[in-house]
Amino acid sequence: MTGMTRTAIRLAAAGTVLATVLAGGTALAETGRAGGKIPRDFLLHEPEARRPVRYPDAEEWKISNRPTKNLGFNPCDLSRPVDGGRVATRTVDYHAPEFHRGEQLVIYRSAGAARGAMAGLLAQVDRCKRVKSGSVVFKASARPVVGIGDQAARMSVQGYDRSGRPVVGGRRAVVVREGRALAIYIHGGEYHSEVSDAQFTEQLRDARKMAAKVCSLPGVC
């Protein structure tokens, strides 16, 4: 084997190694973009949730990074998830005797997976337009919201008696998708009235803030 041949073989081998390294770097970069990590105190109500409550016997905050069985707003109380492809989840809940506030942020592996999650949630609301439980009928509804994120909707569940009058108990939520992130803001309480615009004011404000904030996370938008 001549010196020129040996040199050519070494150069070819080096080129193969370099190509492999570059390919591996590209793959790692793609994985990084497709991944997701939610920084500490990123959720809007997370800093407040970490502070001591004024009345510990009557109120409580909880923060969890564990994936919930279903999304935070679950009108049918389904155990089977309506979404797939989650890479990060954080849920912040506040509970008091007559009020519940929930905030959930889910990062998906792709914008398509996030769109699928929104579609699954809307389909669940449609499935639960009317569910009877004893003497109470629970009605779920959804309405699109324009001007927030890539997609947004306000969703509600309200109980009614046999005469069609609202009874105690209900949930009002705003769900927004921005890129491959889905954020949910829920208020639950002893609503005694029909669903009204005023019952979504805070959730809409929070959804608008998070739709802008979540784009600061790498690769989400």
Side-chain angles (χ1 to χ4, degrees), residues 21-216:
V21 171
L22 290 174
T26 301
L28 286 172
E30 291 295 332
T31 301
R33 284 195 291 269
K37 184 176 181 181
I38 303 173
R40 180 184 171 90
D41 288 344
F42 189 81
L43 272 65
L44 302 180
H45 299 283
E46 195 174 341
E48 182 182 2
R50 296 187 187 279
R51 295 194 291 267
V53 295
R54 180 174 295 181
Y55 305 107
D57 292 336
E59 55 181 343
E60 180 184 26
W61 283 97
K62 289 185 178 180
I63 303 172
S64 175
N65 290 315
R66 297 183 62 182
T68 53
K69 188 176 292 185
N70 213 315
L71 292 172
F73 185 75
N74 184 7
C76 289
D77 293 327
L78 297 181
S79 58
R80 183 179 178 181
V82 298
D83 64 339
R86 301 184 202 179
V87 296
T89 304
R90 183 167 299 157
T91 306
V92 175
D93 282 306
Y94 171 80
H95 292 276
E98 298 179 357
F99 181 71
H100 164 248
R101 178 199 299 274
E103 178 182 20
Q104 185 175 66
L105 178 63
V106 183
I107 309 297
Y108 292 88
R109 65 170 176 261
S110 66
R115 278 194 299 271
M118 175 68 92
L121 187 53
L122 289 169
Q124 185 190 162
V125 172
D126 188 62
R127 174 181 172 181
C128 299
K129 282 184 176 179
R130 184 182 177 89
V131 176
K132 189 173 182 180
S133 178
S135 61
V136 178
V137 174
F138 290 95
K139 297 180 182 180
S141 64
R143 181 188 298 179
V145 176
V146 298
I148 303 178
D150 293 324
Q151 292 175 274
R154 73 177 217 186
M155 305 180 187
S156 65
V157 175
Q158 181 60 48
Y160 295 85
D161 64 19
R162 291 177 179 176
S163 301
R165 294 171 298 192
V167 297
V168 171
R171 285 169 283 171
R172 310 290 189 259
V174 172
V175 183
V176 60
R177 181 187 72 82
E178 184 70 71
R180 58 189 185 93
L182 196 74
I184 302 174
Y185 292 91
I186 309 169
H187 283 188
E190 297 190 356
Y191 297 103
H192 294 269
S193 63
E194 295 286 355
V195 178
S196 68
D197 293 345
Q199 296 165 353
F200 295 88
T201 302
E202 291 186 35
Q203 301 94 307
L204 285 167
R205 180 200 63 200
D206 289 346
R208 189 172 287 106
K209 287 181 180 178
M210 183 53 72
K213 186 176 182 180
V214 78
C215 286
S216 67

